[in-house]
């Protein structure tokens, strides 16, 4: 049971880190959840999924995003 809680806590920590990395830690939570729900509708085999995954792969290469859309847009190119 404790191992399950530890795994869940680590997963939440990592997901929170993604929000921070994307510079979204100060946005409205409803906006953030809406975005996640939209992302959940994208099929894993679709071109949109691959496009967004490529953006994410590039963003991981950037040491730290400061929350500006400019850096995210540059990662998308």
């Amino acid at each position: 049971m404790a191992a399950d809680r530890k795994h869940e806590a680590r997963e939440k920590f990592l997901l929170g880190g993604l929000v921070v990395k994307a510079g979204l830690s100060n946005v409205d939570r409803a906006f953030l959840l809406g975005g996640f729900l939209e992302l959940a509708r994208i099929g894993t085999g679709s071109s949109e999924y691959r496009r967004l995954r490529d953006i994410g792969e590039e963003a991981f290469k950037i040491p730290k995003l400061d929350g500006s859309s400019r850096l995210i847009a540059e990662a998308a190119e």
Side-chain angles (χ1 to χ4, degrees):
M1 192 65 160
D4 290 340
R5 283 197 318 258
K6 184 176 180 179
H7 176 74
E8 183 179 340
R10 176 161 172 71
E11 190 171 280
K12 288 177 182 178
F13 176 79
L14 292 173
L15 291 170
L18 292 175
V19 171
V20 172
K21 176 95 173 155
L24 296 171
S25 58
N26 293 320
V27 301
D28 178 54
R29 292 185 309 168
F31 167 77
L32 198 56
L33 180 57
F36 289 148
L37 293 171
E38 284 294 311
L39 288 171
R41 294 180 182 155
I42 298 172
T44 56
S46 71
S47 61
E48 183 66 2
Y49 179 91
R50 288 188 301 275
R51 184 184 74 80
L52 293 171
R53 189 174 193 290
D54 289 346
I55 292 169
E57 288 288 334
E58 288 301 313
F60 275 124
K61 295 175 185 176
I62 298 171
K64 182 179 178 187
L65 296 176
D66 67 1
S68 73
S69 59
R70 179 184 58 76
L71 287 175
I72 295 170
E74 288 174 3
E77 295 173 354

